[in-house]
Amino acid sequence: MLFLLAILLVIALILIEVPIGFAFGIGALFYGFVAGIDISFHATAGFTQISAFTLLAIPLFIYAGSLMGAAGISDRLLAFVNAFVGRTKGGLGAVTVLTCALFGAISGSAAAAIAAIGRIIVPRMIEEGYPPGHATALLSVSSVLAFLIPPSIPMIVFAIAIRESVAKAFLSTVIPALLLIIIYCVLNFIFLRKNTSIKVSPKQPLAKTAHEAIFAGKRAILALLMPLIILGGIYSGIATPTEAGAVAAVYALFVGLLVYRSVSFKNLFGTTVDAARLTGSIVMILLFLFVMSRGMVLANVPGNVADFLLSVSENRIVILLMINLLLLIMGMIIDDVSGSVLAAIILLPVTQEIGLDPIHFAAIVGVNLGLGNVTPPCAPLLFMAGGVTGTPLANYVGHTMRFLLLGHVPVLFLVTFIPELALFLPGLLD
């Protein structure tokens, strides 16, 4: 009961916009105070967990993504994708989806994808006749791909929390991400098929299109190589995720400063400070989450949750549906990193009781938390997309729900009930 009160306090603090890390910190202090527990015991465990070598990959990937963003790669990626699909009706929508996926493979951050791509592509879409609500909604739902395309920061955190391979957790969400890319592109074309206000660039000879694609590809090649370097190093066994993150940071620094020359030393300082600030906020969140999770384990909260769900039903399908409902609620209230830790702590015992593979569970968590982050009422990515593009929420929330109900929700059900979608690629590493 005391721990339930602490959790309710955390939720209340988050809803009144207290920073998530501090909300969990206050919740942990409250629980320790009312339960008469020495909080320093939990704090020691929290510091031990955030000192894990694998977690060092997070600041390195954040810094690499920040550097590549400062180098202006979003323009190059947009031009590259646009060369292939830009001259069809609804083509710019497909460009948005594909570019968010590519940017996610570089930065690992959905918020960074919205900020870098939204300011460029959405005004252009509106200028060419796209409904502002449709353009903003497509940006918000596509940003979730950054959760699912490796390297994914939430998957790093989740893998560490459940003590599983980061490389396998990365691969578990790749097929779901590909399905979402295809479905969102198809839905975009379907929704716009009767829209007569959209301007379409005239067709041109294949040779000229090929020339444009080659030119755009040359400009974007160094950006496109970055995820290949990261993932190639990890899956070839040459580097751990942390070492790959270090290589990515050095590579991004080299590209931005010396090749593209779009990052000056003055910009470099600002970019470094921004990356450090983001890293600090994530570490603060993780520390207090680990402190609170220690209290959860000692209070047997995971075991109680498992007992409760199993008392409702022993049917595997029903339990999976209840797990997804809890994950969706988590994603609607808190960010992806916090949700990953809580899912690992609270729901992993339930999945173990029904024999769910931890890597399969990783895919479910990734897809579901992404859905929650663009689902009202809190929906941080949904509101961020509107803020970046200047579109009122009422103009795009309906469009967003259409994309989610027809695209993201079906993929979530597929991933939940067809384990091979999550386990096929990780199985290749065995």
Side-chain angles (χ1 to χ4, degrees):
M1 181 58 69
L2 291 177
F3 206 88
L4 179 60
L5 288 175
I7 293 293
L8 292 175
L9 174 61
V10 170
I11 293 173
L13 291 171
I14 291 172
L15 292 177
I16 62 173
E17 299 186 355
V18 172
I20 291 174
F22 292 114
F24 280 104
I26 293 170
L29 290 171
F30 170 80
Y31 176 71
F33 176 76
V34 298
I37 297 172
D38 184 2
I39 195 66
S40 63
F41 173 69
H42 298 317
T44 302
F47 278 111
T48 300
Q49 286 180 284
I50 64 168
S51 300
F53 176 73
T54 310
L55 275 180
L56 186 59
I58 293 176
L60 292 170
F61 282 128
I62 288 174
Y63 191 40
S66 298
L67 287 170
M68 293 299 277
I73 62 163
S74 52
D75 291 333
R76 297 169 185 266
L77 293 176
L78 285 167
F80 175 67
V81 178
N82 190 61
F84 292 93
V85 295
R87 292 182 178 273
T88 58
K89 186 174 182 179
L92 277 181
V95 170
T96 301
V97 176
L98 293 169
T99 307
C100 281
L102 289 173
F103 198 88
I106 293 168
S107 70
S109 168
I114 290 176
I117 296 167
R119 290 186 177 95
I120 301 170
I121 192 66
V122 172
R124 183 174 169 186
M125 292 171 74
I126 294 172
E127 183 182 328
E128 297 198 7
Y130 285 71
H134 176 92
T136 304
L138 189 59
L139 173 68
S140 66
V141 299
S142 300
S143 69
V144 173
L145 294 167
F147 291 169
L148 308 177
I149 302 287
S152 165
I153 292 173
M155 284 296 100
I156 294 174
V157 173
F158 185 81
I160 292 170
I162 66 172
R163 295 178 173 82
E164 286 287 342
S165 163
V166 173
K168 288 186 176 182
F170 277 171
L171 287 180
S172 70
T173 54
V174 170
I175 293 178
L178 294 176
L179 289 174
L180 281 175
I181 291 170
I182 294 169
I183 292 172
Y184 281 153
C185 286
V186 171
L187 288 175
N188 167 70
F189 287 118
I190 291 174
F191 293 159
L192 298 175
R193 69 189 187 282
K194 295 182 180 179
N195 192 313
T196 57
S197 64
I198 296 177
K199 303 173 186 175
V200 183
S201 300
K203 299 292 183 181
Q204 61 182 15
L206 182 60
K208 189 173 181 180
T209 300
H211 176 75
E212 286 184 359
I214 292 171
F215 177 75
K218 287 180 179 178
R219 292 186 71 243
I221 186 64
L222 292 177
L224 295 170
L225 281 175
M226 186 169 173
L228 295 179
I229 291 172
I230 295 171
L231 300 179
I234 293 173
Y235 294 114
S236 66
I238 296 174
T240 65
T242 301
E243 292 164 347
V247 172
V250 173
Y251 177 80
L253 189 62
F254 170 76
V255 170
L257 276 177
L258 302 179
V259 181
Y260 289 167
R261 296 184 179 179
S262 51
V263 177
S264 65
F265 284 99
K266 182 179 180 180
N267 292 340
L268 178 62
F269 178 77
T271 300
T272 303
V273 170
D274 289 342
R277 186 181 293 115
L278 179 57
T279 299
S281 67
I282 290 176
V283 170
M284 184 71 73
I285 290 169
L286 289 177
L287 172 62
F288 286 127
L289 274 171
F290 287 144
V291 169
M292 200 163 190
S293 70
R294 183 71 173 179
M296 288 182 182
V297 172
L298 293 178
N300 197 32
V301 172
N304 291 336
V305 171
D307 291 341
F308 171 74
L309 293 181
L310 292 171
S311 70
V312 174
S313 174
E314 294 185 359
N315 185 292
R316 180 185 174 91
I317 294 176
V318 174
I319 293 173
L320 284 172
L321 290 174
M322 289 191 292
I323 288 173
N324 273 300
L325 179 60
L326 289 173
L327 286 171
L328 178 60
I329 294 171
M330 284 184 191
M332 291 165 64
I333 297 173
I334 57 179
D335 65 281
D336 52 315
V337 173
S338 306
S340 297
V341 176
L342 287 180
I345 296 164
I346 298 174
L347 296 176
L348 184 63
V350 184
T351 65
Q352 291 173 333
E353 288 290 336
I354 62 173
L356 193 72
D357 189 287
I359 298 301
H360 182 198
F361 184 45
I364 295 173
V365 169
V367 176
N368 203 322
L369 290 180
L371 173 62
N373 272 213
V374 286
T375 303
C378 294
L381 295 179
L382 185 68
F383 290 114
M384 183 179 180
V388 167
T389 63
T391 307
L393 178 64
N395 288 6
Y396 67 94
V397 67
H399 294 276
T400 302
M401 296 311 297
R402 283 202 302 172
F403 278 114
L404 295 180
L405 291 174
L406 297 176
H408 208 125
V409 172
V411 170
L412 175 60
F413 277 104
L414 289 174
V415 172
T416 300
F417 297 111
I418 305 179
E420 290 75 16
L421 294 177
L423 297 177
F424 173 72
L425 292 179
L428 299 178
L429 299 180
D430 293 333

